[in-house]
Amino acid sequence: MIQQAYIRPIGFVPGPQSEHGNAVRLAGGMVYASRFAVILRRDGEVAERWLAAPDTMAAVLGQLPDGCGADAEAQWSNLTLAHPPLELGARTVRLDQPQVMGILNVTPDSFSDGGAHDGPDGARAHAAAMLEAGAAIIDVGGESTRPGAKPLWEGDEIARAVPAIEASAGMGAAISVDTRKAAVMEAALEAGAHLVNDVSGLAHDPRSAEVVARAGCPVVLMHAPGAAGEDLHEGGSYGNVVLDVFDALRARRDAALEAGIAARNILLDPGIGFGKSLADNLALINALPLFHALGHPLLLGASRKRMVGALSNEAEAGDRLGGSLALALEGMRAGVQLHRVHDVPETVQARNVWRGLRDAALTDFGDLPG
């Protein structure tokens, strides 16, 4: 019999004063949680569920079966773990507030902007515009990972990505490379990239974990059901999508640690849209706060995804700004640290307004007695 506990934040408040201090700061960010569901899963099925607040959590965890308690205690500690900033070249990206990662696709066939930024000049201009608009990181990708996209030879991917990375590095940008191939990672890091964003969670290429460990760079581990094969979207069948993705990300995290990658260099991404139905994606977005229990910063990539079109009368990719902002704001309310987006100016503006609201809430004691 396999038993596993999960701690999911389900109640949020503007600041700790709203609960007379009985709230925790989620992942060292700007979100405060005051109510939690402690879930016990037995052989893949949810068996029991308790509600807890910070002052009752110890008692609830004490009710868990033998073998679950230590991991649940670690999850509870992880939920309040403040993450150090990312040191990406000359840039420092703080993780105590939401940050925007701008997408720079240098692909002819990406689902949203394929061919729009091909060539060094186009890539340079778009990277400069995103940096000026407030992007903290530029994420350069040379291979489309949309459903049905054909795998690309690593030499062609390098030829696409490296010039864009070099152009972005010349501006002093913090740069991420979006790839699942070790050779592309090596070439990108040599060209000036600082972070690896692997949609396969380092499962696709047997050398990739070694490359990242040797470089000592941060890495994003994303969940995709077909990560080990060519089709990332293959095999998307779940008993409980939220808990299954949580377990899968934990397994990829553990594999990365075993490969010698430092815990401080690991970020996690639930992989919205990768081998997941609309219902799966909605469940994951609603459950994002749970993933802080793994103890690593989170990245959300929901910009212009198919789910927005599905909820918006089949709006085309270029007409999904409103839905993309709604998902980004939902991620911010969940304490997600990095938001990978196409529409940088609009997302930065939304983030700045959201942060203004959070700052104001923390200094508002108007409904408390003097």
Side-chain angles (χ1 to χ4, degrees), residues 102-337:
I103 297 170
L104 178 54
N105 283 326
V106 285
T107 56
D109 56 345
S110 288
F111 80 96
S112 174
D113 54 357
H117 313 300
D118 289 352
D121 291 342
R124 183 181 297 107
H126 191 53
M130 291 193 291
L131 288 171
E132 185 176 357
I137 303 171
I138 303 298
D139 188 49
V140 178
E143 179 186 44
S144 175
T145 52
R146 62 178 174 79
K150 295 181 179 179
L152 184 68
W153 176 54
E154 61 191 23
D156 289 339
E157 188 176 343
I158 290 169
R160 291 177 183 177
V162 163
I165 291 168
E166 291 174 339
S168 300
M171 304 174 203
I175 305 162
S176 166
V177 60
D178 179 1
T179 186
R180 52 182 170 160
K181 302 182 182 75
V184 181
M185 295 174 192
E186 289 173 322
L189 292 168
E190 178 68 24
H194 310 101
L195 182 153
V196 169
N197 181 13
D198 186 347
V199 291
S200 80
L202 300 178
H204 177 76
D205 190 322
R207 283 203 314 118
S208 59
E210 175 193 340
V211 169
V212 171
R214 185 172 62 246
C217 66
V219 61
V220 177
L221 307 177
M222 194 196 82
H223 173 268
E230 292 297 336
D231 185 356
L232 292 159
H233 303 268
E234 187 176 29
S237 178
Y238 310 96
N240 180 311
V241 66
V242 170
L243 304 184
D244 289 351
V245 171
F246 184 97
D247 290 345
L249 282 176
R250 173 165 43 197
R252 295 314 307 155
R253 184 274 312 276
D254 291 348
L257 292 172
E258 274 190 42
I261 298 171
R264 68 178 181 278
N265 281 336
I266 296 173
L267 300 91
L268 302 174
D269 177 353
I272 300 299
F274 283 80
K276 301 173 182 76
S277 68
L278 174 60
D280 293 336
N281 289 321
L282 292 171
L284 285 167
I285 294 286
N286 282 328
L288 283 171
L290 166 71
F291 292 92
H292 291 296
L294 288 168
H296 301 274
L298 303 179
L299 182 147
L300 176 63
S303 175
R304 300 188 187 177
K305 288 285 175 76
R306 174 73 184 84
M307 67 178 294
V308 178
L311 294 169
S312 310
N313 297 317
E314 302 302 329
E316 295 295 327
D319 296 321
R320 297 174 183 172
L321 173 61
S324 298
L325 291 175
L327 293 176
L329 287 168
E330 192 64 23
M332 292 176 201
R333 284 190 286 268
V336 172
Q337 290 90 350

